[in-house]
Amino acid sequence: MKPVNWGVLGASKFAREHMARAIHEAAGATLYALATSDPKKADDFKAFCPDLQVHGSYDALLSDPAVEAVYIPLPNHLHVEWTQKAIAAGKHVLTEKPIALKADEIDGLIAARDASGLLVTEAYMIVHHPQWQRAKTLVGEGAIGRILHADAHFSYDNRADPGNIRNRPETGGGSIPDIGVYTYGGIRYVTGAEPSRLSARIRRENGVDVYAQVTGQFAGAGGDFTFHAMTSMRLPPRQEVVFQGEGGLIRLTAPFNAGIFGEAQLHMLRPGKPDHVERFPDLRQYVRQVENFGRSLRDGVAYPWRLEDAKGTQAMIDMVFASEEPV
């Protein structure tokens, strides 16, 4: 397979530490170019990719005919704008989550994608990890019976970094846009169900949510089930997802930062049966994401997360904010 030539818009910390390295290491991919106005930031990328081409502006990178696909890790409020510009430049696009801040903003991206014939999607990496794929398969096969309840928890503490884009309202900050996409979208991905009723209790600082507790109900082909999710940027680190069914439960450890927060594991507990544990050490979901993008681009393999999927999760986020109750 001919490698995909990638360009990265912006020298963000996340790109430097994770996605640019994943592109550089992935089979079928070449980290070709970076756009940044600060040459010192480019040096950090050149340390592991010495041949990297550096452009002084985003527009210059989009004008480079050698760049075939673009990864966009910009602040949340810039995602739609630069995804549209990349499509207009004829580039395939992988944009960080959340790809938009309102569900209806994704309609324009879907229309532009369809008109261009390009591969345009959200960088929703968990669906590329076998821990999540196995959970989806097991739930779909009825391994724990009909789902009765699902809960998801994701927290970290960044109060010491007030300048972080996640702590700033003007950049689309908050725990829900940052990590609610995982606690909400992960439940949607595994169950194939959608929320029918939600209630949210949200605490804010400086105009962004720093703690959100959401409860409610999902409706799907397998029946209704209750739901609970907690996201926070002011609590000690915690990551866990649990699906409870009539015949047992499935628990996912390190479900969002596999290999970083801890080892990704799947535990299936069923009365009267031995506990079932699957471990997934040393699997890099960011690398798998890039490789799957390349296979979809080159070989037409179905990509596991479409703009329509991203719109569904964003619609749930919109629903969460609309259902907020006084704290």
Side-chain angles (χ1 to χ4, degrees), residues 32-173:
Y32 175 79
L34 171 72
T36 177
S37 59
D38 187 345
K40 292 183 179 179
K41 290 184 178 180
D43 289 343
D44 292 334
F45 289 78
K46 284 190 168 185
F48 62 86
C49 185
D51 297 330
L52 186 69
Q53 303 297 307
V54 180
H55 294 286
S57 71
Y58 303 154
D59 287 317
L61 186 145
L62 294 181
S63 297
D64 187 338
V67 173
E68 188 174 3
V70 175
Y71 168 64
I72 301 178
L74 300 173
N76 295 342
H77 70 298
L78 298 175
H79 287 176
V80 171
E81 174 188 356
W82 284 98
T83 300
Q84 287 281 19
K85 288 182 177 181
I87 295 170
K91 310 301 184 185
H92 303 281
V93 192
L94 182 66
T95 300
E96 261 310 321
K97 55 77 198 165
I99 199 167
L101 294 175
K102 292 287 185 180
D104 59 8
E105 294 178 337
I106 300 177
D107 291 335
L109 300 180
I110 291 173
R113 176 203 65 189
D114 292 348
S116 67
L118 297 165
L119 176 57
V120 182
T121 191
E122 182 182 61
Y124 196 66
M125 77 291 186
I126 65 173
V127 300
H128 303 275
H129 198 287
Q131 179 195 43
W132 282 94
Q133 294 165 354
R134 282 289 290 152
K136 182 178 178 67
T137 296
L138 290 168
V139 167
E141 291 175 347
I144 57 172
R146 183 173 71 88
I147 297 298
L148 302 177
H149 179 77
D151 56 82
H153 297 257
F154 193 174
S155 63
Y156 58 87
D157 191 343
N158 71 353
R159 76 186 72 202
D161 187 11
N164 190 294
I165 59 173
R166 296 163 185 81
N167 283 320
R168 294 164 52 192
E170 69 273 17
T171 56

Side-chain angles (χ1 to χ4, degrees), residues 150-154 183-184 187 227-231 240-242 256:
D151 56 82
H153 297 257
F154 193 174
T183 56
Y184 310 155
I187 302 300
F227 165 79
H228 174 263
M230 186 276 291
T231 59
E240 185 178 44
V241 176
V242 178
F256 308 119

Side-chain angles (χ1 to χ4, degrees), residues 194-198 216-219 224 319:
E194 298 292 348
S196 58
R197 177 181 55 82
L198 295 176
Q217 192 165 13
F218 269 67
D224 293 356
M319 189 177 176

Side-chain angles (χ1 to χ4, degrees), residues 129-130 258-260 262-264 279-285 287-288:
H129 198 287
I260 299 171
E263 183 182 70
R279 292 180 168 84
F280 307 93
D282 304 323
L283 285 172
R284 299 184 60 198
Q285 57 192 350
V287 172
R288 294 170 68 93

